[in-house]
Amino acid sequence: MAGADILGIGTSALLSYQQALQTTSNNISNANTDGYSRQRVDFSTQPGDLAGSYYLGSGVQVDGVQRIFSQFVNAQVTDATATNSRYQTYSQYAEQVDNLLADQTAGLQPALQSFFNSVQGVANDPSSISARQDLISQGNTLVGRFNTLYQQIDNISGRLNGQIGNDVSNINSLASQIAKLNTQIVSANNSNVVGQPNDLLDKRDALVNKLAQYVSVKTVSQSDGSINVMVGTGQALVVGADVTKLGTANLSGDPNQLDLVFKTQAGDVPVSNIVTGGSLGGLLEARDQVVVQAKNALGRLAIGIGQEFNAQQAKGIDLTGSQGGDFFNVPMPTTVQNSYPSENNASSSGVATYSISDVGKLTTNDYRLSYDGTNWSLKVAGSGQTVTMTPVTGSPGSYTADGLTINVPTTASAGDSFSIEPTRYAARDITMAATDPREIAAAAPVVGTATQTNTGTGTISDMQTLDPTNANLRDQVTITMTSATTFDVVDNTTGATLATGQAFNSSGTTVSFNGWQTTIGGNAASGDTFVIAPTGSGDNGNALQLAALQQKTFLQGGTASLGDTYSQLVADVGTKTQAAQTDAKTHQSLLNQATSMQQSISGVNLDEEAANLLKYQQAYQASAKVISTANSLFQTLINAVS
């Protein structure tokens, strides 16, 4: 029955090439479908038929339709996608903050310069009401600039929080879809132990790659065909058909800062510090490294200028003859009770309070104050770095650390903790205190002069106010040289002798009484006098000290001025932005390379598919010819025996 054998062979070939044509057509139709991996029909010969002492071929069969892909290359694309998305997102938000701070007209530097120009204007003409009014106006402009810069950065923070929420929603949606595909793939594998559901596998891989746009992803294949999806540093997001949802919460207690949590049956588990990669990782990094740091740095500047200017104001005398009052209203550090689900403070616990005791030691860090039942500890938020707390002598429960004075509550329970944000909202909350031009304390309380009748060439200089609250600060005081090497000091207002026989050094001798300090020196002769007397309304001694604050290095441990500190902030954000932009370009290139490699393996080549289509068409037509030949043989055989 050779005809029957030929018919079977032809039929097997016809059916096989029909499937090959169908697969090729499917490849062509999905040439531009994202995530599609080209498919290939695997042929093998059917077992031969024994014909006496030899075997005759019995045709062809399709062993399966194989998805052409490389798991290794796919993993490269997924990793590159997560890294690229991270840097693109980080760069986007860092650039917004950089453009804001570095703006030559809308940044803080122009407002600072204009403010101190006005201070110098008062120093040049301390009696001028118009100069004083201009200083009030420039003060309002400066605090307005602080307020505006904070608000603009906070707007960026709001957009960032909104995108965090969107990313979390997208991650949860993709995780659910992956879990659903896991179920479908396992079911398909159970019903067909030979072939694989290629289209479902492609869809799942595409979802995993899309998930990598939001967060770094690792997958672990299971024996049943499902995959477990890990995010961040290894947290399980999808396990088979089960999904652990991501969520957001204000765990730090700061309503303006979202934290990430895993929603578990045991409660919310904080994961912000372990979620990395993707746009979500980039958002968290941009928030913590740029946005929050910019807010804190601006706040430190606001507190710095506010406290120092107020302190110097207090050392001067205004046009009414009164001691200078506050020029700025300087906000205090923000504190919140922790709200971690497993660590809520006991209801009977007290509240910690804080103040800024040394603006020069103030940092841009946030802190977490914790109580273990015996001791209090202070750590930098985010890093966990321990900060030394020095007890304040004579004040139980008070400590100093990084320019702060911390008063711990008298009642506390183990596990109590507080988040401290010393400078976070200072740029938002600083306001003007002075409204009357006469309140500007341009005059120094006292001035020291050498009497014109002196016979020597002694000098008096560097008059400073040490204690503006001293009741005798504005008393008239006379320093009399009793010899070329000694002097006496008498308070003329009270008649009290303040000192006698004090040693004099021509290179410079410090004299300090009644809350002031000055230096006398030179070649003074016996009988020479120096008089410390109250100033008049035209004095500019304190205004000069106020103007000198612009260049005074009192921030960052006494190493940086206001301008230096702001320039460092701009440079820091600019450096981070430039580095992020460079990284974004680099990783975009790496992603393109990985994607190109993936496409060279899994992508559909239309020229190749067209050639396959022609090849399989010809094979299909030849197979049909074989069947036709078999039919002719049958007809010949039938005719021969009829």
Side-chain angles (χ1 to χ4, degrees), residues 135-150:
L135 178 54
I136 296 290
S137 297
Q138 291 299 329
N140 279 305
T141 299
L142 180 60
V143 299
R145 186 63 54 85
F146 272 117
N147 300 159
T148 299
L149 282 173
Y150 175 89

Side-chain angles (χ1 to χ4, degrees), residues 4-265:
D5 295 336
I6 295 173
L7 179 62
I9 292 172
T11 301
S12 70
L14 190 72
L15 294 174
S16 296
Y17 289 120
Q18 182 183 28
Q19 294 180 42
L21 283 168
Q22 182 176 344
T23 300
T24 302
S25 300
N26 189 51
N27 286 341
I28 294 172
S29 65
N30 285 284
N32 296 310
T33 301
D34 289 338
Y36 179 79
S37 298
R38 68 186 177 92
Q39 298 176 10
R40 181 186 67 202
V41 174
D42 291 333
F43 299 106
S44 68
T45 59
Q46 291 184 355
D49 295 328
L50 182 62
S53 60
Y54 54 89
Y55 286 88
L56 288 175
S58 60
V60 66
Q61 63 184 11
V62 174
D63 287 338
V65 179
Q66 182 180 351
R67 185 170 65 123
I68 307 302
F69 82 109
S70 167
Q71 187 64 49
F72 174 75
V73 173
N74 279 13
Q76 279 188 314
V77 172
T78 299
D79 291 342
T81 298
T83 305
N84 178 63
S85 184
R86 166 195 170 191
Y87 283 114
Q88 296 291 346
T89 303
Y90 182 98
S91 172
Q92 172 191 349
Y93 281 95
E95 186 175 5
Q96 292 179 43
V97 178
D98 182 41
N99 291 339
L100 182 64
L101 296 177
D103 193 294
Q104 293 299 311
T105 56
L108 186 65
Q109 195 70 54
L112 273 174
Q113 186 60 53
S114 296
F115 174 75
F116 279 106
N117 286 345
S118 293
V119 177
Q120 188 61 54
V122 173
N124 293 340
D125 190 359
S127 300
S128 170
I129 294 297
S130 63
R132 289 167 171 264
Q133 185 60 58
D134 182 61
L135 178 54
I136 296 290
S137 297
Q138 291 299 329
N140 279 305
T141 299
L142 180 60
V143 299
R145 186 63 54 85
F146 272 117
N147 300 159
T148 299
L149 282 173
Y150 175 89
Q151 187 58 56
Q152 289 174 322
I153 295 174
D154 196 52
N155 289 341
I156 295 172
S157 182
R159 293 194 293 272
L160 189 149
N161 280 336
Q163 190 171 342
I164 287 176
N166 288 337
D167 281 7
V168 167
S169 296
N170 289 331
I171 288 170
N172 287 335
S173 175
L174 290 169
S176 296
Q177 293 177 60
I178 291 171
K180 183 178 179 180
L181 281 170
N182 271 343
T183 301
Q184 293 174 357
I185 290 169
V186 170
S187 176
N189 286 340
N190 289 338
S191 62
N192 180 7
V193 296
V194 179
Q196 288 187 320
N198 293 327
D199 294 333
L200 294 178
L201 293 173
D202 277 347
K203 287 181 180 179
R204 188 175 67 183
D205 285 349
L207 289 175
V208 169
N209 195 55
K210 191 171 183 179
L211 181 63
Q213 295 177 13
Y214 300 104
V215 66
S216 62
V217 176
K218 299 293 182 185
T219 61
V220 180
S221 299
Q222 304 300 303
S223 58
D224 59 2
S226 66
I227 59 171
N228 295 342
V229 180
M230 313 297 177
V231 298
T233 57
Q235 288 64 49
L237 180 67
V238 179
V239 178
D242 298 324
V243 176
T244 302
K245 296 284 188 179
L246 264 179
T248 59
N250 299 113
L251 297 184
S252 67
D254 185 344
N256 297 312
Q257 182 163 313
L258 291 178
D259 296 291
L260 297 179
V261 295
F262 264 133
K263 299 287 187 179
T264 68
Q265 291 182 346

